[in-house]
Amino acid sequence: MATRTRFAPSPTGPLHIGGLRTALFCFLHARNNRGDFILRIEDTDQKRFVPGAEEYILESLSWCGITPDEGPSFGGDFGPYRQSERSALYKPYVEQLLRDGHAYYAFDTSDELTTWRRSMQKQGNASPKYSASTRAYLKNSLSLSAQEVEERIQRGDDYVVRFKTPMAGEVRFYDEIRGWIVFQCHELDDKVLMKSDGLPTYHLANVVDDHLMEITDVIRGEEWLPSTPLHVQLYEALGWTMPNFAHLPLILKPDGKGKLSKRDGDRLGFPVFPIDWYNPKDSKELIAGGYKERGFEAPAIVNFLALLGWNPGNNQEIFSLEDLIETFSLERVNKSGAKFDYQKACWFNSEYLNHYTSQEKVSTILELFPIAKGRSENDLEFVFNLASERIQFKHEIKDTIAYLFEKPGILEDKGVKKAWKTEKVAHLEDCMQRIQIANTEFSAPGLETMIKQYIEEKSISFGQLLPPLRLSLTGTLKGPSIFDIMSFLGLPECLERVELAKKNYTSKTI
RNA sequence: GGCCCCUUCGUCUAUCGGCUAGGACGCCAGGUUUUCAUCCUGGAAAGAGGGGUUCGAUUCCCCUAGGGGCUACCA
């Protein structure tokens, strides 16, 4: 049977980075097996629905190149792919479970149950369960007379349908990542399958949909492990074949306690969302920043996320999405949670920046410096390379080498104090004149030779000549090779800048 | 509290009984460089503890400890 995986987020807010990784792993597993990856929107909780969240999920996946084969706005033979549009579908299965004695009606209101739980807690029961041992004391079709049940339903009383967990026995299932897992039935509770609004809960909906959509592998976060025995029992009760289960380790906070949550972004100073998230009620209010807008390359994020919990078994660290599809396997997914390491994410980003193709380099520079239009592609790539080895993010290029395209204006104070000395400036002038007169090829190696000759002749050091030269050309004392910079600027521009610096700063010369 | 999952350098991880425990990020030192950065070389840094099984355990089993998840008419 062809592999089919699904990512089933609920549109209750922006997708966070852990969810994105889950989607990635689902996608990789499907593609690795030449199967299909399905996106399904689990919007059965009307109270928590957030407008714009679905679009956000779509955009995030698209940014990362995780393209669903089926899903809302992607089509497919197993739709609709929003659970809210499937609500009528679940009824027959609820009835089947009711008829076969696997489920029952329960009439307790939320308030009643809260009260009941509180009183049980007072008696020392830390987590009272609606279960085989307590259901007889609650209001349901198992404890009430058939007549009363009938009356209540006729009358229109609110009710939910609960799963009837067996009193004894055990539920076991095989997890692709963790191996066999066993739960005792008496530890389980009678989970709600259908809410009083007539919509299914996640538990029922995901089982029914996974079956109907012929999902072969259920890959989801570890937080679902405790409710998997319910799902397993549901498959059995409905007489369906079980999918494979794989529960992914969680992504943890870098500073210790607990899983990375949506709130952590502000506190820790790095994004926990793929892209910017704006207030659904006010599209101008940015609520949480994203990796994309922070300047991250999508392939870097994908690469980083893939290695958080998975590894190829060798020392390879750089993987394109295609590489990952090729190499990924659930067998090599780790069991334990992984702390999020923002620094490493930054490192991946700089790696990707340095592996840009020539074409990407050219268009990046063009985009950052419209004024560069007309320059040769070689020149533009050259500029990119000068900048890229001293930065981690694309947008940092601009500040780093803006002087290649415009005169520096003011020279940094510290540099002036340090390098702009009478004697040095005299040498600078002298040397520039020499270069001008020589009129040889204005290339980096040529310039280097010429300047070397000059300092040897004058018995001075690079340190006496180059800093003032750099300062006058770039306005700062740090940066790429000054010979590279000069060759890019060209002789006339170099002369002008030196002249300008002399004019503006000579008075400050000591 | 109960149930379930997990446990190798600070962090991400390799090791599927033979280990002088490997790699990466970060950190430190040295080299290259007019400078910053890159780059190169080197370094510090780990098997939670206790029992077993075994000729031999980081690797298998048990206990303890620690971490995490779940414990809703939310997903």
Side-chain angles (χ1 to χ4, degrees):
Chain A
M1 196 157 64
T3 298
R4 290 171 60 81
T5 65
R6 74 343 186 238
F7 176 55
S10 88
T12 53
L15 175 70
H16 101 309
I17 204 82
L20 185 64
R21 189 195 57 163
T22 303
L24 211 216
F25 283 24
C26 287
F27 172 80
L28 293 177
H29 181 69
R31 288 297 164 87
N32 178 262
N33 289 286
R34 298 170 191 287
D36 290 329
F37 169 66
I38 289 98
L39 175 67
R40 184 174 71 221
I41 302 294
E42 308 234 336
D43 54 352
T44 53
D45 186 354
Q46 314 249 291
K47 293 184 215 93
R48 294 206 307 156
F49 177 80
V50 173
E54 183 182 320
E55 289 74 11
Y56 182 94
I57 292 164
L58 253 26
E59 249 181 82
S60 300
L61 294 181
S62 148
W63 180 56
C64 291
I66 303 171
T67 315
D69 297 292
E70 299 169 26
S73 82
F74 293 96
D77 299 334
F78 298 83
Y81 293 93
R82 272 182 212 99
Q83 287 183 334
S84 59
E85 293 167 17
R86 302 170 65 81
S87 43
L89 257 150
Y90 306 103
K91 260 280 170 47
Y93 301 107
V94 173
E95 276 157 17
Q96 183 188 335
L97 290 167
L98 248 11
R99 199 169 54 237
D100 295 347
H102 290 301
Y104 61 91
Y105 297 100
F107 301 96
D108 324 81
T109 64
S110 298
D111 290 346
E112 284 169 354
L113 283 177
T114 308
T115 312
W116 175 72
R117 285 200 181 91
R118 281 213 190 105
S119 79
M120 293 293 281
Q121 278 161 352
K122 261 181 206 151
Q123 291 168 43
N125 184 345
S127 58
K129 284 190 285 283
Y130 206 120
S131 69
S133 57
T134 56
R135 66 172 85 106
Y137 311 104
L138 280 337
K139 278 186 274 178
N140 52 62
S141 57
L142 264 22
S143 63
L144 269 24
S145 70
Q147 193 194 341
E148 186 172 355
V149 171
E150 186 60 29
E151 273 173 25
R152 281 174 174 271
I153 293 175
Q154 289 301 321
R155 203 198 303 160
D157 277 11
D158 271 359
Y159 66 85
V160 300
V161 174
R162 285 180 181 272
F163 185 73
K164 188 181 168 191
T165 308
M167 177 78 86
E170 59 183 34
V171 182
R172 56 175 62 221
F173 58 91
Y174 186 79
D175 185 276
E176 299 293 320
I177 294 168
R178 289 149 213 282
W180 285 100
I181 293 170
V182 186
F183 285 81
Q184 298 302 317
C185 284
H186 70 263
E187 300 283 0
L188 272 21
D189 60 346
D190 292 352
K191 281 271 184 314
V192 171
L193 263 20
M194 200 182 76
K195 297 175 282 186
S196 56
D197 63 5
L199 289 175
T201 59
Y202 168 83
H203 302 297
L204 206 232
N206 104 85
V207 166
V208 169
D209 287 345
D210 284 345
H211 171 73
L212 261 24
M213 294 182 179
E214 297 178 13
I215 300 301
T216 57
D217 299 78
V218 171
I219 301 170
R220 73 233 299 194
E222 191 185 337
E223 69 267 28
W224 293 109
L225 212 43
S227 54
T228 305
L230 198 226
H231 307 155
V232 168
Q233 292 183 94
L234 243 15
Y235 279 101
E236 283 167 354
L238 260 1
W240 294 339
T241 50
M242 212 90 65
N244 299 320
F245 290 104
H247 290 91
L248 267 21
L250 265 16
I251 296 181
L252 275 15
K253 299 178 202 291
D255 62 347
K257 310 280 175 208
K259 65 172 171 178
L260 192 65
S261 75
K262 296 185 172 184
R263 287 260 177 95
D264 288 326
D266 306 326
R267 192 173 61 83
L268 299 165
F270 59 79
V272 293
F273 299 106
I275 57 183
D276 277 354
W277 170 250
Y278 289 89
N279 188 342
K281 290 182 189 126
D282 175 6
S283 62
K284 283 193 192 73
E285 189 200 342
L286 178 67
I287 292 182
Y291 276 89
K292 183 183 179 192
E293 291 79 3
R294 185 62 88 112
F296 280 85
E297 312 290 315
I301 290 299
V302 166
N303 197 152
F304 168 68
L305 251 24
L307 266 325
L308 214 54
W310 172 85
N311 76 84
N314 56 37
N315 287 336
Q316 188 180 344
E317 295 231 71
I318 302 300
F319 290 89
S320 67
L321 195 56
E322 288 68 33
D323 295 336
L324 290 170
I325 289 170
E326 190 69 31
T327 329
F328 184 82
S329 86
L330 284 177
E331 274 174 49
R332 298 212 61 93
V333 173
N334 270 71
K335 293 182 179 73
S336 51
K339 285 186 185 168
F340 193 89
D341 184 353
Y342 181 67
Q343 285 218 52
K344 192 139 189 182
C346 292
W347 176 77
F348 272 107
N349 201 66
S350 63
E351 282 294 300
Y352 274 82
L353 222 46
N354 286 311
H355 288 140
Y356 261 22
T357 63
S358 298
Q359 204 33 252
E360 285 170 324
K361 292 177 180 179
V362 167
S363 59
T364 298
I365 296 300
L366 242 23
E367 186 184 309
L368 257 22
F369 301 103
I371 196 173
K373 209 175 165 212
R375 286 280 196 160
S376 76
E377 295 203 344
N378 268 349
D379 274 5
L380 297 175
E381 189 175 344
F382 177 76
V383 167
F384 183 98
N385 290 337
L386 285 190
S388 70
E389 59 191 31
R390 57 208 75 226
I391 52 149
Q392 280 188 316
F393 296 97
K394 190 157 78 173
H395 56 82
E396 293 172 336
I397 291 176
K398 188 142 189 181
D399 283 347
T400 312
I401 43 117
Y403 50 73
L404 289 178
F405 299 103
E406 56 192 43
K407 292 185 173 53
I410 55 166
L411 312 184
E412 72 176 16
D413 205 40
K414 207 170 66 185
V416 173
K417 281 194 185 119
K418 200 170 158 190
W420 206 252
K421 304 274 167 77
T422 312
E423 191 190 340
K424 292 178 179 178
V425 174
H427 276 304
L428 173 58
E429 260 190 285
D430 192 15
C431 182
M432 288 307 285
Q433 230 165 41
R434 189 84 70 93
I435 291 170
Q436 189 178 10
I437 292 162
N439 196 26
T440 52
E441 193 200 356
F442 204 71
S443 69
L447 285 162
E448 188 169 357
T449 311
M450 225 179 307
I451 289 177
K452 214 171 232 168
Q453 270 169 11
Y454 181 85
I455 65 164
E456 272 167 19
E457 192 185 313
K458 302 282 176 182
S459 295
I460 57 171
S461 68
F462 271 123
Q464 282 176 284
L465 181 59
L466 266 30
L469 175 58
R470 174 184 295 279
L471 187 68
S472 64
L473 296 182
T474 70
T476 167
L477 241 32
K478 55 191 181 184
S481 157
I482 193 63
F483 309 113
D484 284 337
I485 293 172
M486 289 176 84
S487 75
F488 180 83
L489 291 175
L491 178 62
E493 179 70 16
C494 288
L495 291 170
E496 267 181 58
R497 290 189 184 192
V498 170
E499 199 53 41
L500 200 63
K502 220 180 67 188
K503 203 177 87 192
N504 293 339
Y505 287 88
T506 299
S507 60
K508 295 182 184 167
T509 308
I510 301 158

